[in-house]
Structures are given as C-alpha cells and as structure tokens.
Amino acid sequence: EIFARLPINIPIRGFWWHGDGVGLGEGGGVEFGGGFGKITVVSDGMANISVHTGVRIDALKQQIAPTPPLDPAKVYLTFTMSDGDNLTTLYNYFPSYFESEEFGKFPMGWGIGPSAIDLIPAVVDWYYRRATPTDEFFADVSGVGYVFPETFGNRYRDCQAVLDGFLDLTREYLRRTDMHAVRPHGGSPDRMKAYAARIPELNCIVADYGRRGGMTYDGSLWWPTDLVPVFHAMTTWGRGVEGMVEEIRGAVGDRRPAFVNVFVWNWGFRLADLQRVLEELGDDYVAVTPSQLAELARASRR
C-alpha cells in the first residue's frame, strides 16, 4: 500500500540484498519496487552523498573516435563492462581499471548509472576526463536506474504509461551524460522496441546481464527500427579468459562479418584479461565501442 501511494518513477536508494535468505533479495526487491514504478539506485556503502551532491554538473560530453571502415571478413566485438550502476563500484572499484597499464589500449564500453551525474557528479566527471576516444559510457542497467523492463509498472492498469515515463526520464539523463547506448536487464522484443521508439538518440541497445539461455548468434542481433540494432549478450560470467574466447568463437562460427556484444562481468575480469582474450582470438576479431558496433552493423546492411 505504501509503494502504491508513492509517485511513480522515483528512486529507491540503497540495495535489496542483505544476505542469503534475508528479505526479498536483489531480484525480488528490484522486481517488487519496479512493479510499483520505483527505480532502484544501488548506493549501499556509498558514504557522503550529501557532500557529493553539493557539486553541480548539468551535462558531460564524451569523446568520439571515428568508426573504422567495415571489413566484411572480420568479427567485430564490443566489451560491455557491468555493474557501473552501483555508486560504490564507481567510487571504489572502477578506478583500478582506469589506472591500469592496459587502459586505453583497446576500445571498451563502460556501463554507468546516468543518475550518478547528480549523486556523485565529480566522480563521474573524473571518468569522463580520463576516458580516451575509444572508451564509451552507456546506461547501465536498464536506463536511469536498475529495473526489469518486462515487469516494470505491472502493478498498474496502464503499465505502458509507467514504462514510458521511465524511458522519458532515461532519455533526459542520456542527454545530460551524452550516452547513446543502454543495457536493459532482460525484456521482450516489445520492450526493446519501446526503448528504440522513446529514445530516438540511441545508437544501439546492448541487452542483457549475461547471455540468455538458448541465445544464438542469429537471435542476438535484430532491428526494432531501421537504425537501432539490439545486440544481445553472447557471453556470461565465471568462465575466465578461455571460456570467454570459446563462447565468442562458438557463437559466431564462420559468419563474416559478425557483430558481438561481449558481456563482461566486472567482478571477474580485469583489463589484462580482456587483452588476453583479444590476443587469443587473433586478428580476425576487432574490438570497437558499442556505438561503433552499431555503425558497422548498419554499414553491413547497405
């Protein structure tokens, strides 16, 4: 009753998980809150937000590297790093990536929660200033905050209006953070079409927190509009470098050109590991940013 009485598309700050068997847990909590149109902003363990929010940044700008010309004999892949929607991860964990020896040596997609521009603006500004033209930030996970698109707003009669409000809010925060890609956490084709229709500035949708069961390459790339491709994740987590190489090769087979969303579980991979993945895959595989992957996929259709 409390959740139903509160306005829709407002944040829930903190986190739903407090130990095995305690409360609703992460998935149950995100789904419960999202059903009432509430958006989880993961911020447990993040101190001094009242101080951080004293900084005001209206908008940020990404550097953009030109897209390489399409080589029809290549496999193009984009690494999409997970869990940047977690403010504590941004504050305490991601800096080690940006300070590593491998940083900037190959293109990367970095998931970030766009609302961080209001909550920890100076921290996000640090990332934008340090990023190279081959580092692209995209909205993680699902948009302005953590929701499951398929069940978002399902406690209301007009659940589509609730989702539309979420997507409109996401669009505004993507404008402020100069992001042009988003990773929805699951969702049906109709939900992906809603993203593409409601956020016309999107270059692509890099869907899913890890590879869905039964997902094949032929099902991983599709077009909700003529200009916006959906790239479903073709890798999962917990399999290490060799496992990731095996998943990528197994997914594309002999298809050329091919376009692959390589989901990277941040808790299990360092940049040195991803560099090894590229080395083991060989020269036929080319890393690009998410938006570059979209442009190359569009070029392959002309």
Side-chain angles (χ1 to χ4, degrees):
E1 183 178 348
I2 293 173
F3 274 65
R5 288 178 178 272
L6 291 170
I8 61 172
N9 285 311
I10 61 172
I12 298 172
R13 281 194 26 221
F15 197 40
W16 294 96
W17 190 87
H18 293 283
D20 292 335
V22 178
L24 293 173
E26 177 179 352
V30 171
E31 183 165 4
F32 176 80
F36 288 99
K38 310 304 184 284
I39 305 163
T40 296
V41 177
V42 182
S43 53
D44 61 317
M46 183 66 216
N48 295 322
I49 289 181
S50 60
V51 176
H52 285 287
T53 54
V55 177
R56 294 286 188 268
I57 296 178
D58 179 64
L60 293 164
K61 188 72 175 174
Q62 298 202 55
Q63 301 182 65
I64 301 174
T67 301
L70 175 69
D71 183 340
K74 299 292 186 182
V75 174
Y76 294 94
L77 58 88
T78 189
F79 291 121
T80 54
M81 185 67 73
S82 78
D83 286 82
D85 63 302
N86 184 332
L87 298 187
T88 307
T89 303
L90 282 182
Y91 192 73
N92 293 321
Y93 193 81
F94 269 27
S96 63
Y97 288 124
F98 280 64
E99 293 170 343
S100 71
E101 292 182 6
E102 294 78 19
F103 177 73
K105 291 185 177 179
F106 51 88
M108 281 292 304
W110 302 95
I112 287 185
S115 65
I117 193 174
D118 286 339
L119 297 171
I120 49 172
V123 175
V124 179
D125 182 63
W126 181 87
Y127 285 106
Y128 274 65
R129 289 176 182 273
R130 194 170 182 86
T132 74
T134 56
D135 293 296
E136 180 179 353
F137 301 108
F138 65 89
D140 205 11
V141 56
S142 296
V144 69
Y146 184 5
V147 306
F148 298 143
E150 194 61 30
T151 57
F152 189 73
N154 66 358
R155 300 287 188 123
Y156 297 94
R157 291 187 181 91
D158 192 355
C159 59
Q160 186 62 51
V162 181
L163 178 65
D164 286 348
F166 171 79
L167 295 176
D168 290 346
L169 189 60
T170 294
R171 182 185 183 188
E172 171 59 18
Y173 272 83
L174 295 191
R175 180 195 65 78
R176 292 181 59 197
T177 52
D178 194 29
M179 294 183 186
H180 299 276
V182 60
R183 174 171 26 224
H185 198 312
S188 66
D190 284 345
R191 288 296 197 246
M192 300 302 103
K193 290 176 183 177
Y195 273 86
R198 206 79 187 181
I199 311 175
E201 296 83 6
L202 282 178
N203 285 332
C204 63
I205 298 170
V206 284
D208 304 332
Y209 190 90
R211 185 175 184 171
R212 298 187 188 190
M215 178 60 67
T216 64
Y217 178 80
D218 290 337
S220 71
L221 170 56
W222 62 282
W223 301 81
T225 73
D226 288 339
L227 295 177
V228 180
V230 173
F231 301 104
H232 287 282
M234 292 305 296
T235 53
T236 184
W237 57 84
R239 298 194 60 196
V241 170
E242 297 298 332
M244 179 175 279
V245 170
E246 180 182 334
E247 283 186 301
I248 295 168
R249 284 180 173 157
V252 301
D254 59 1
R255 296 173 183 84
R256 301 292 186 275
F259 309 93
V260 184
N261 169 13
V262 179
F263 170 83
V264 181
W265 188 52
N266 77 298
W267 307 114
F269 281 91
R270 310 304 300 165
L271 291 188
D273 299 321
L274 299 182
Q275 189 171 46
R276 283 181 54 207
V277 168
L278 288 173
E279 290 168 355
E280 294 201 21
L281 286 171
D283 293 340
D284 286 345
Y285 293 75
V286 180
V288 293
T289 67
S291 289
Q292 289 175 336
L293 190 72
E295 180 57 35
L296 289 162
R298 285 191 287 269
S300 73
R301 304 178 83 200
R302 296 181 189 130

